[in-house]
Structure formats: C-alpha cells, structure tokens
Amino acid sequence: MSLSDEQAAFLLDACKLIQHATATGFKVTGGELARTPEQQAIYVKTGRSKTMDSIHLRRCAIDLNLFKDGKIVWDKETLAPLGAYWESLNPLNSWGGNGRTLVDTPHFSRGQGKPEWRRVT
Ligand SMILES: [Zn+2]
C-alpha cells in the first residue's frame, strides 16, 4: 500500500472515530493533522515533541479536540473507550493515550514503524 493509499484509509478511519465519538456524547473539533518539518522542529525545540519523525509529517496522525458537557477532555480514563475503538478499526492504528514515552490523549495515529511510509509524497 502506498503512502497516499494509507493516508486515505487513515482518514476514513478518522471519520469513523469522529462519528463514533459524536454518537457517544462527545463534541469533536479538528486539531492538527498535517505538519511541516519546520513546525516539527519548533515543537522539538520547545519540548512539545521529542522526535523529528512524527507521524504528522506523513499525514497519518490527527489531534482531535474532544468535549464533554461543554468542557474539553484530556484525561485518559474518559477517552480510553475512544482509544480502544480507534485501535479496533485497524491493527496499525494506535492511540496516544497508550503511548510508551509520551501520553498524548488527543492523538490518533496509524502506521508508526513502517519505514516505507516515511517518504512524504
Ligand atoms: Zn498528534
């Protein structure tokens, strides 16, 4: 599967996630999806990220703003069912709430560790 095909499949899963989140009582607004190397460098420099190999550079990650009862939700316990749903959609999907080095609950991604996808086209 090409990177472009993977980006398209990722986005379809993201649509399912947004619809599922909405159906289970969240309001969802869009955060960051695509990211330039220049922006990533700023995040690394300011400590917001630890890698120059972010999946956002391949456009296979999205950060969502998830609201419940009018308040933005960050806590892992509340978002865990959405993370489980996301990871159930495809074996390559991973939720940032389960991150080993960084817990990033609004982050939903696909395909980490697949070097053939690292060429941004
Ligand atoms: Zn992210």
Side-chain angles (χ1 to χ4, degrees), residues 58-74:
R58 298 192 296 280
R59 287 174 255 146
C60 285
I62 189 167
D63 303 321
L64 297 174
N65 304 310
L66 297 150
F67 298 85
K68 198 125 193 178
D69 301 322
K71 295 179 182 170
I72 195 158
V73 178
W74 302 98

Side-chain angles (χ1 to χ4, degrees), residues 35 56 61-63 104 107:
R35 188 178 296 165
H56 284 283
I62 189 167
D63 303 321
D104 186 8
H107 175 95

